[in-house]
Amino acid sequence: MTVEYLLLGLLALLWGSSYLFIKVAVTDIPPITLIALRVSGAALFLYLVLLGRGGRMPRDARTWVMLGVQATFNSIGAWTVLAWGQQFVGAGLASVLNSTSPIFVFLFTALITRHETLGGRKLAGAIIGLAGVVLIVGVDALSGLGSAVAGQLACLAGAMLYAGAAIYGKRFSKVGALETALGTMIWASVVLVPLAFIVEEPLTLRPGAAALAATAALSILCTGAALLVYFRLVHTLGSLGVASQSYLRAGIGVVLGIAFLGETLTLPVATGLLAAIAGVALINAPSGRKTAKSIG
């Protein structure tokens, strides 16, 4: 399991660092075009990996419909509602709301799917981890709750979609992580690339070298490689386990800020980091019992 925990940290690093690359790229590339480049670049990268491994994609229509649903959960739908909601919600509060996906995974699993074994320890981990994110971001971020309700609900909807992705992803145990990741990115490209041409004018753009490099890193590392890790962890750590990386992402942001932006580590932030790590540890600690039946 040590390898899986290291991969969970790697996933948090890849997705946590995506905010830095987005910040650089969006200066020259509008958001929908950037997302379209992100998913199409990831699809190309994953396709090359598939060719290198001598693999092939599923041929049956049912699997492709399922991949379309998965793409809606973890990219098309989630990214769209989050991008819309974050126009009206402060960055700190948006980070907290976006980090509630483990709570939703717990609720959906306990009340609907029951595909994994839960318990008080995992619930405590989900709550402690979220509290850690609040401390990392700053308690003052919660002062905006209740205003711009539509935007806040959109951020929560994005977190719910991420939770749905972690649960629905369990259905692809026979497909493989690489094929699942590629399939979802193909679907995302089919939807988002035409949308970019409808809403924006990507052919008129002249992005600089920094924006192009950031976009490439966002596509290959933060999307393509990250999805390979993600779909593996869905099956090894489970839905709640892989969703717990959202708590680590906030910590990654702090570490990157200290390393590259000269930010300082305060006591509340340090406490939040410890709480986030403790929450993830509680969620993922072996229980000695096998998980419940798989869904699908």
Side-chain angles (χ1 to χ4, degrees):
M1 290 298 289
T2 301
V3 173
E4 306 308 311
Y5 298 148
L6 291 174
L7 287 174
L8 186 67
L10 175 62
L11 181 61
L13 174 62
L14 290 172
W15 278 347
S17 62
S18 66
Y19 300 109
L20 290 178
F21 294 124
I22 290 172
K23 187 174 182 179
V24 173
V26 81
T27 57
D28 290 347
I29 304 172
I32 296 178
T33 299
L34 177 60
I35 295 174
L37 288 171
R38 177 180 183 176
V39 297
S40 57
L44 176 59
F45 165 74
L46 292 168
Y47 179 66
L48 293 175
V49 174
L50 184 72
L51 287 180
R53 291 186 179 181
R56 67 176 189 175
M57 292 299 292
R59 302 292 179 86
D60 59 294
R62 179 177 181 273
T63 299
W64 277 101
V65 170
M66 292 170 58
L67 287 168
V69 174
Q70 182 69 26
T72 301
F73 278 134
N74 68 3
S75 54
I76 301 169
W79 291 347
T80 301
V81 296
L82 286 172
W84 184 86
Q86 287 173 341
Q87 297 178 88
F88 311 101
V89 179
L93 181 55
S95 297
V96 174
L97 295 175
N98 291 348
S99 298
T100 57
S101 56
I103 301 292
F104 286 115
V105 170
F106 190 97
L107 292 175
F108 293 159
T109 301
L111 300 177
I112 303 172
T113 62
R114 300 183 180 179
H115 65 286
E116 293 179 359
T117 300
L118 300 175
R121 174 175 54 80
K122 290 190 175 184
L123 177 59
I127 295 172
I128 291 171
L130 183 59
V133 173
V134 173
L135 288 173
I136 292 170
V137 173
V139 178
D140 291 345
L142 299 181
S143 61
L145 279 173
S147 59
V149 175
Q152 293 172 17
L153 289 176
C155 291
L156 284 174
M160 291 175 65
L161 287 168
Y162 282 139
I167 293 173
Y168 196 82
K170 298 282 288 184
R171 296 172 180 260
F172 297 96
S173 59
K174 296 181 180 180
V175 177
L178 174 56
E179 292 79 7
T180 306
L182 176 55
T184 58
M185 288 300 94
I186 290 174
W187 268 111
S189 300
V190 167
V191 173
L192 294 172
V193 170
L195 182 62
F197 278 92
I198 293 172
V199 178
E200 298 165 349
E201 297 180 346
L203 295 181
T204 65
L205 299 176
R206 297 294 183 270
L212 290 174
T215 302
L218 190 64
S219 296
I220 297 171
L221 299 176
C222 302
T223 308
L227 284 176
L228 287 176
V229 176
Y230 174 82
F231 284 113
R232 168 175 170 154
L233 294 178
V234 164
H235 300 298
T236 56
L237 294 182
S239 303
L240 186 57
V242 74
S244 68
Q245 54 76 33
S246 65
Y247 297 151
L248 296 178
R249 285 205 311 264
I252 293 295
V254 171
V255 172
L256 292 176
I258 294 172
F260 298 106
L261 302 178
E263 297 176 356
T264 57
L265 183 65
T266 64
L267 180 59
V269 171
T271 304
L273 283 170
L274 292 175
I277 294 170
V280 173
L282 286 171
I283 288 172
N284 292 288
S287 62
R289 293 178 295 177
K290 293 183 179 180
T291 58
K293 63 180 181 179
S294 61
I295 53 179

